[in-house]
Amino acid sequence: MSERGPSKRRLSGASNGGSEGNAAGGGSGAAAGQWEGSGNAARIRGVNAGIMDEKVLELVFRTLNWDPQSLCVVARVSRRLRAVAERVLWRELCVSRAPRMVAALTGGAPASAPAAGRIGGGWPALAKLLLFCCGAAGAAVPGHFAPVSRFSKTSGRSFLSRRCARDLLYVSDPCEHAVAGAADDVGAYRGVFRGFMRSRTRAWLVGHRAPLEPRVRCPYCGARVWSMTAAGLAPRSASRRLGANDGCLEYFVCVSGHLHGSCWLARLSDSEGAGPDGSDADDASADEDDVGL
């Protein structure tokens, strides 16, 4: 017992930056101060260990094919896991689901280095936008995970007025929902701007003091929104692109650059405006990104 006591005291003093460390110029104290915890829980400050290692988590979720529901569960376990998810995992999910779209939104950064660009509203909001249809509140259509969605720059151009034609906007095909007692279906759609803070759309809205909607919030990031119909920035080409009845289209853009809206879809014959596979003929494959769960 007498031999172990001093040894323990010396270890304790070194780990706490004691007098011996101070006498040596503070080197031992500085090194010991980098360590937190003890035993298997010990780690160097700023370096993750075990399951908290970002690379380990990436490998785990890559094996799970970036399952969004599993990622949501993990992000709720602790603040540290939530921080890793927001910084790394949601970003990698977006890259795996829509690599070309992410590269365009981040200013042409390659998919292997998406952090070179910035995403308005953050990566969790973009991941939710890719995978979640927000439904249509006016028609009592609830939100839901969308098994497959197609986002297109060509569709986005149809939602831009001529004065804002240089902006880059991706918009999904409408997610169609049958409504009880209604002759037509409701189409819900969503989209995202690249660099919305520097866009002409935002400059026009701010410059003309377009009011923000008091009762509507972005379903993807929770930010306040502008009504593009009320602002006079909803071109008729958007209705034609969606196959919607005139005057039956409404969409909003939030301050982070996310778009969401709904419309009543007109009944089309088999020969109206569709290719043999049911898609519009002017869509090129390089212009699209198909997103699926």
Side-chain angles (χ1 to χ4, degrees), residues 132-143:
F132 187 79
C133 168
C134 64
V141 175

Side-chain angles (χ1 to χ4, degrees), residues 36-51:
E36 297 175 359
S38 61
N40 293 332
R43 66 181 182 84
I44 298 177
R45 182 180 297 132
V47 178
N48 292 324
I51 193 62

Side-chain angles (χ1 to χ4, degrees), residues 16 79-80 84 90 104 106 118 124 151 162 216 230 240:
N16 292 323
R79 291 183 179 180
R80 289 180 60 200
V84 173
W90 288 119
T106 54
R118 292 182 177 274
F151 287 81
R162 291 183 179 180
V216 181
R240 292 196 298 270

